[in-house]
Amino acid sequence: KLVWLIFLLAIVVRFLWFFESTYFGFDEARDAFTSTEIYTKLDFKLIGPPATGNLGLFHGPLFWYLLGPLYLLGNGSVLFVSAIFRLINASGVFAVFYVGSQLFTPWVGLISALFYAVSFEQYQYAMYVGNPTLGVWCWLVIFIGATMLYKKTKHSVWAPALMLSAAALAMQLNLMYGYYFLPVIL
């Protein structure tokens, strides 16, 4: 019950100043148009948006495929997509609780989840309507897998695949997240 209360607190924190804090810039506008065209015009993409700089590097297109249905469900509303991203970020409370309680005690899990719920950093990640927002969950999944391996749970056999999938998804979302593979390899 306490974890659910912390989750509600995380939601409240992420929705403080919702209208004023929703970040929607040039990249987010490009992603909104491109992601909806994939579904409305069947304009499928194999290469994602350009990475920063003019190096000929591109992010993966998976983010567009995940983002498009949200814009279509919300009738093109940036606020709807922002609300979904904030809820996804707030749900990280459960992952942090799992890791903290498995590695230490349920009280450590609760305190860790509380810190996550009110964290300014997580508030900042939650307000973006862009690809870095989902990278937080990729980290959480990597640490869930590492915890499963460390504790040797009955599901430990799936932990390496879970961790590698999270790192691959992160890099698909944002090319710079290639460093997510380092803790997975370690």
Side-chain angles (χ1 to χ4, degrees):
K1 291 178 182 179
L2 288 175
V3 178
W4 283 97
L5 287 174
I6 293 171
F7 174 61
L8 290 175
L9 175 64
I11 290 172
V12 168
V13 167
R14 278 145 187 81
F15 280 89
L16 288 174
W17 306 288
F18 176 65
F19 297 104
E20 298 85 2
S21 68
T22 297
Y23 180 80
F24 190 78
F26 170 78
D27 290 346
E28 291 76 19
R30 174 204 61 212
D31 292 343
F33 284 112
T34 304
S35 66
T36 54
E37 285 180 349
I38 288 172
Y39 293 96
T40 58
K41 296 181 180 178
L42 300 178
D43 186 14
F44 301 111
K45 305 291 183 190
L46 296 176
I47 298 174
T52 55
N54 193 9
L55 302 173
L57 298 174
F58 295 87
H59 301 300
L62 182 61
F63 179 68
W64 285 337
Y65 289 93
L66 297 173
L67 189 63
L70 296 177
Y71 275 111
L72 294 175
L73 277 172
N75 205 21
S77 171
V78 174
L79 296 176
F80 177 81
V81 176
S82 179
I84 297 295
F85 279 7
R86 288 168 194 249
L87 290 172
I88 290 170
N89 182 276
S91 69
V93 161
F94 298 108
V96 171
F97 172 74
Y98 172 80
V99 171
S101 63
Q102 290 295 309
L103 292 178
F104 303 102
T105 67
W107 283 108
V108 171
L110 285 171
I111 292 169
S112 301
L114 180 62
F115 283 153
Y116 179 91
V118 299
S119 166
F120 178 71
E121 179 183 21
Q122 291 310 313
Y123 175 81
Q124 291 293 303
Y125 273 111
M127 69 182 214
Y128 287 100
V129 185
N131 50 358
T133 304
L134 302 177
V136 171
W137 253 103
C138 295
W139 266 128
L140 294 172
V141 171
I142 289 170
F143 282 104
I144 287 171
T147 301
M148 290 166 58
L149 279 175
Y150 180 73
K151 295 301 278 189
K152 296 182 174 83
T153 67
K154 64 179 179 176
H155 302 293
S156 294
V157 68
W158 297 104
L162 185 69
M163 295 167 66
L164 280 171
S165 297
L169 175 61
M171 193 167 171
Q172 179 70 214
L173 295 171
N174 195 323
L175 193 59
M176 73 171 211
Y177 289 158
Y179 65 86
Y180 277 39
F181 284 99
L182 185 60
V184 172
I185 292 168
L186 290 175

